[in-house]
Amino acid sequence: MSRQLLAMALAPLLGLFILGIGNGFLATLITVRLDAAGESATIIGIVSSAYFIGLALGAVFNDRLLLRIGHIRAYGSFASLVAVTVLLQGLFFDPWAWFALRLIGGWATVGVYLVIESWLLTAGEQKVRGRLLALYMISLYAAGVIGQLLLGVTSAMGMTAPFMVIGMLASLSVLPMAMIPRVSPLIEHAEPLPPYRLVMLTPTGVMGSLGSGMVVAAAYSLLPLYLQRIGMSVNQVGQMMALVILGAMLLQYPIGRWSDRHDRQMVLIGISGFCVLISAAMLWLPLSTPVLAVLLFLLGGGVFALYPVAVSHAADRAPAGALVRMSQGLLLINSIGATLSPLLISPVMTAVGDAGLFWSFGGLSLVFVLFFSWRRHVRPAPMPVAPFTATTPMTAAGAELVITEELVQGALEHEHLEDLSEAVPDVEVAEPVVGPPAEEEAHITYYDDVEQVGVRK
């Protein structure tokens, strides 16, 4: 990576890292504070869902604002709004006021991510996106781990100290962006594929994205509640949540490489089945602290890998011209899942107890196993067209950042093997095959097919 490229990417990545430290433990902090105040799991789920509603709204509308006022001013505005909403939560306690503040905070937070991800998107050519994405992932996950570890330290300083620290970090994150030259990258308004087109194009990708949003949101918002209610201190809750994020950071790439060498649908089935086993272990094994730490580390690796593998599977089938819009559409599906999750799972915890979280995790994962198995029977997975890309984008710009040069080239080489005109009618593909190929014609290779592609005789 050139020095010029690193210089352009350094400021937004540093801003992301600083903001991410505070944002990394804010959801955990809010959950444990609401629980300490005696609020039910249902109320905690409702307040938690506000953040994800804000994220979804911001992902749809914030790019219009960014186009109007530019990157640097937008970043300063969004980061300042994040700081204000957090500080207000530290000043007074009211669940319904916190709901409104979390919604505004989620909307502002995704605005910050939009600035960072769109800046990285235009910082270099498509061939270096993989390296930029790797730096982005390292910054995001490292900040999350450090933030969770700070939860206990800041809570020991007093009731308002954690909110003050998060507010200060949000304000401080403006400095790197304010020091760079006044050059704003150009972006276009995102037009993701609508859900019905996505379902036609990649049912497995849609289910994987929706399910990932549900389980990841539950991990962030309701897992701290479970940990505190089984007797852990605030410091221990932060440490366990750090292990979840560390598992996501360290295991996502090995799982992705596994998906490059095997049928990605089988990998999705394996991830989902693994999450069923982890949920069963959480319900029925005697949980000492070391056992709990190992299980949560593995759980983080499983639930956070579901989305990128699902997106990679979807990209294996999509034509090159639809890759960006497909990725953006799957991100919105993921946001919908994240919004619904706390609202659906928290009443289960209220009804059956704290273990309801892992009954829900296990039940959802079992549904994924059955769905992915059915889809594999109906339509086996195509061969991977490009290496797996580990990612957790927050905005449409980040979804586009995932589309690397290798992925586009692979899609161009494979898109003539299948007719996708019904799913993406506005995208041209090279010589689509209409209907099933004749025996003497070349056809797409699936894992259940013969090893050799049929050729003309």
Side-chain angles (χ1 to χ4, degrees), residues 356-411:
L357 174 63
F358 289 101
W359 282 111
S360 300
F361 268 159
L364 284 171
S365 299
L366 183 59
V367 170
F368 302 154
V369 170
L370 296 175
F371 181 86
F372 296 145
S373 299
W374 169 67
R375 285 305 305 170
R376 187 171 186 273
H377 175 73
V378 172
R379 187 180 191 84
M383 294 289 290
V385 302
F388 168 88
T389 301
T391 178
T392 53
M394 301 292 291
T395 70
E400 187 173 350
L401 189 63
V402 178
I403 310 304
T404 62
E405 187 176 44
E406 285 181 305
L407 183 56
V408 173
Q409 185 60 39

Side-chain angles (χ1 to χ4, degrees), residues 205 208-213 215-216 252 268 271 302-313 326-335 388-389 391-395 399 402:
S209 299
L210 180 70
S212 171
V215 293
V216 169
Q252 192 173 132
L268 288 169
I271 293 172
V303 299
F304 281 84
L306 187 61
Y307 177 75
V309 174
V311 172
S312 294
H313 166 80
M326 179 212 68
S327 182
Q328 292 168 342
L330 292 178
L331 177 63
L332 291 178
I333 296 292
N334 183 261
S335 299
F388 168 88
T389 301
T391 178
T392 53
M394 301 292 291
T395 70
V402 178

Side-chain angles (χ1 to χ4, degrees), residues 196-391:
Y196 75 96
R197 294 288 183 197
L198 287 169
V199 171
M200 295 171 65
L201 178 64
T202 173
T204 298
V206 169
M207 176 59 82
S209 299
L210 180 70
S212 171
M214 297 184 72
V215 293
V216 169
Y220 272 123
S221 59
L222 297 176
L223 182 56
L225 173 63
Y226 170 85
L227 294 173
Q228 181 160 275
R229 288 188 173 178
I230 63 173
M232 290 195 160
S233 66
V234 173
N235 188 49
Q236 290 175 315
V237 170
Q239 291 171 353
M240 290 297 170
M241 290 301 297
L243 283 172
V244 173
I245 299 173
L246 187 63
M249 179 179 179
L250 297 181
L251 298 182
Q252 192 173 132
Y253 184 76
I255 292 174
R257 295 299 294 166
W258 175 38
S259 77
D260 286 340
R261 296 178 172 87
H262 298 83
D263 180 339
R264 293 204 209 270
Q265 284 177 326
M266 282 302 300
V267 175
L268 288 169
I269 293 169
I271 293 172
S272 302
F274 180 72
C275 290
V276 172
L277 295 177
I278 294 295
S279 299
M282 293 292 295
L283 289 169
W284 294 316
L285 287 182
L287 296 177
S288 62
T289 299
V291 171
L292 181 61
V294 171
L295 290 176
L296 291 180
F297 177 85
L298 296 174
L299 181 68
V303 299
F304 281 84
L306 187 61
Y307 177 75
V309 174
V311 172
S312 294
H313 166 80
D316 291 337
R317 187 179 177 216
L323 283 171
V324 172
R325 295 181 62 199
M326 179 212 68
S327 182
Q328 292 168 342
L330 292 178
L331 177 63
L332 291 178
I333 296 292
N334 183 261
S335 299
I336 293 171
T339 300
L340 294 175
S341 174
L343 297 174
L344 296 176
I345 295 179
S346 57
V348 178
M349 296 181 70
T350 300
V352 306
D354 304 325
L357 174 63
F358 289 101
W359 282 111
S360 300
F361 268 159
L364 284 171
S365 299
L366 183 59
V367 170
F368 302 154
V369 170
L370 296 175
F371 181 86
F372 296 145
S373 299
W374 169 67
R375 285 305 305 170
R376 187 171 186 273
H377 175 73
V378 172
R379 187 180 191 84
M383 294 289 290
V385 302
F388 168 88
T389 301
T391 178

Side-chain angles (χ1 to χ4, degrees), residues 41-60:
T42 301
I43 294 297
I44 294 172
I46 292 172
V47 174
S48 299
S49 71
Y51 175 75
F52 298 105
I53 294 172
L55 288 180
L57 292 174
V60 174

Side-chain angles (χ1 to χ4, degrees), residues 174-199:
V174 177
L175 289 181
M177 293 295 291
M179 292 179 180
I180 61 180
R182 293 186 177 182
V183 178
S184 291
L186 297 176
I187 64 170
E188 297 179 358
H189 177 61
E191 295 184 1
L193 281 178
Y196 75 96
R197 294 288 183 197
L198 287 169
V199 171

